Amino acid sequence: MRRACLWLCLLVGNTGAAAAPVIAPPDAGIDALMRDYDGMQPGAAVLVLRDGEPVFRRGYGLAVVEDATGVTPHTNFRLASISKQFTAAAILLLAEDGKLSLDDPVKRWLPTLPPAADAVTLRQLLSHTGGLIDYEVLMPPTQATALHDIDVLHLLEKSDRTYFTPGQGYRYSNGGYALLALVVGRASGQDFASFLRTRIFLPLGMRDTFAHQDGVDDVPNRAYGYSRIDGHWQRTDQSLTSAVLGDGGIYSSLDDLARWDAALYDERLLKASSLQQAFHPATATPEPDVPFYGFGWRINGETLWHSGESIGFRNVIVRYPARHFTVIVLTNRDEPAPYPLALKIAHRYLYGDR
């Protein structure tokens, strides 16, 4: 326990101190599971936390193929949809501040949305039950420049329909979370990226985590995304939707995500009542391995988890809160999805599948 206390004091303390120089013991079994990520190719970073202590923590392969920069626990990956849990946390913080209510109509904050959105609430956007049309299908075929969150709003302004009556169904919605990012900006008086930085990242010591904006910030130790095309790894780091922040624009590392994980066990960031709302089954879903969705979290039995997929990146965080156990796998390649891999790693520790 003394070693765990040293890790937590250095890693998640409010001082923002650097990560503790803990070298987790080797695990040949995990190395074997990760062999396809190792070597001179796009790689991965793996963290296993038990009782706040890293029982396994290492990188595989390359963060930047062109100059052979290796992946380390400090490498920052584009989180893609794992970002949604931070967007949800921002909304919950503003609710605690009395700046908004989860049951506010989204049009209170974004009044230019069409009449079809009249009944949609912030709570429904958080749980993917608003029924808004996917903004990706509304993009014109001639779109040549990157979209931002405000562009998502403009696309939805022109679509006066929903997939179902708001609150009466479930459909995973990237656009809903882009709108939530705009709401954070309007309710807080700060832009979304600045609010995350000042209210979440810096207070938790996540100094290298950013809702990334080209020309505004520089992501340190950045991994670039790759896809295998014609048998070769080619950089495919950004798409037309990569600049949308609310649904997937955050970059972070294993060590910063360990700080985030620690904050989800106590009230250093959010009140217990807010955490309970985030982790409570808000709606049932038809998705595999996702019986329920909370606010930015998928819920399956004893696990809280979320994947993140965008061009060049595939990531997952799987938490077992009752066991105080977490597995995080971040990768900078298009395939495969790391969720099954994370479950295999978890089972090695929890069920002795070694």
Side-chain angles (χ1 to χ4, degrees):
M1 291 299 296
R2 292 178 62 188
R3 185 176 170 201
C5 289
L6 172 63
W7 167 262
L8 283 172
C9 288
L10 290 178
L11 184 62
V12 300
N14 289 331
T15 62
V22 174
I23 304 301
D27 188 313
I30 294 180
D31 288 346
L33 289 172
M34 300 301 298
R35 63 181 177 272
D36 290 339
Y37 293 89
D38 214 0
M40 303 300 289
Q41 59 182 326
V46 179
L47 178 65
V48 182
L49 293 166
R50 172 176 272 160
D51 295 325
E53 181 179 356
V55 296
F56 188 86
R57 170 180 172 266
R58 69 158 292 188
Y60 299 87
L62 301 178
V64 184
V65 170
E66 290 80 4
D67 64 7
T69 299
V71 173
T72 77
H74 307 294
T75 299
N76 284 291
F77 294 76
R78 177 178 167 82
L79 297 185
S81 285
I82 292 177
S83 303
K84 289 181 171 68
Q85 58 202 247
F86 294 96
T87 304
I91 292 289
L92 290 167
L93 279 171
L94 288 166
E96 290 181 3
D97 293 345
K99 297 291 183 64
L100 55 75
S101 166
L102 299 189
D103 294 311
D104 282 346
V106 66
K107 289 186 67 173
R108 174 188 171 187
W109 300 101
L110 305 173
T112 58
L113 285 167
D118 285 352
V120 178
T121 67
L122 302 185
R123 186 183 300 275
Q124 290 165 355
L125 296 184
L126 288 166
S127 59
H128 300 294
T129 57
L132 296 178
I133 303 302
D134 296 334
Y135 76 84
E136 295 91 341
V137 305
L138 299 175
M139 293 170 57
T142 56
Q143 183 75 37
T145 57
L147 294 178
H148 296 79
D149 299 84
I150 190 64
D151 299 311
V152 174
L153 173 62
H154 294 331
L155 288 172
L156 288 169
E157 287 170 350
K158 302 171 185 176
S159 180
D160 193 17
R161 59 193 177 97
T162 57
Y163 287 116
F164 48 78
T165 301
Q168 300 301 308
Y170 170 90
R171 186 183 175 102
Y172 190 86
S173 174
N174 286 316
Y177 270 75
L179 296 186
L180 288 170
L182 295 175
V183 171
V184 169
R186 297 191 181 184
S188 69
Q190 295 180 272
D191 65 89
F192 177 67
S194 297
F195 182 87
L196 292 185
R197 188 84 177 145
T198 59
R199 291 295 302 276
I200 298 178
F201 301 153
L202 292 181
L204 296 183
M206 301 172 66
R207 296 191 177 277
D208 290 339
T209 298
F210 295 88
H212 174 56
Q213 304 169 91
D214 281 339
V216 176
D217 59 72
D218 292 312
V219 178
N221 306 311
R222 179 174 172 177
Y224 288 88
Y226 298 85
S227 301
R228 187 180 287 279
I229 301 172
D230 296 329
H232 302 281
W233 290 111
Q234 297 185 28
R235 186 181 288 195
T236 54
D237 186 68
Q238 299 285 300
S239 72
L240 292 175
T241 62
S242 291
V244 180
L245 299 183
D247 65 353
I250 294 174
Y251 280 74
S252 193
S253 66
L254 292 183
D255 286 348
D256 271 7
L257 289 173
R259 296 174 168 96
W260 169 244
D261 181 75
L264 300 178
Y265 286 107
D266 58 35
E267 297 190 64
R268 74 188 70 185
L269 180 70
L270 289 164
K271 295 177 181 178
S273 57
S274 294
L275 290 171
Q276 184 178 20
Q277 289 191 83
F279 302 149
H280 183 74
T283 184
T285 95
E287 297 176 358
D289 292 321
V290 192
F292 302 99
Y293 199 94
F295 295 165
W297 288 97
R298 293 170 169 139
I299 303 167
N300 186 2
E302 66 174 326
T303 65
L304 299 169
W305 71 283
H306 215 290
S307 57
E309 299 183 357
S310 65
I311 188 167
F313 294 93
R314 296 290 184 272
N315 313 300
V316 73
I317 176 171
V318 184
R319 304 182 69 241
Y320 298 74
R323 300 171 183 259
H324 218 277
F325 184 87
T326 298
V327 176
I328 301 170
V329 181
L330 308 177
T331 83
N332 60 325
R333 54 169 66 185
D334 259 353
E335 57 182 19
Y339 176 60
L341 186 60
L343 292 181
K344 289 179 181 178
I345 293 171
H347 284 200
R348 288 177 58 76
Y349 288 89
L350 298 178
Y351 308 115
D353 297 348
R354 292 175 180 264

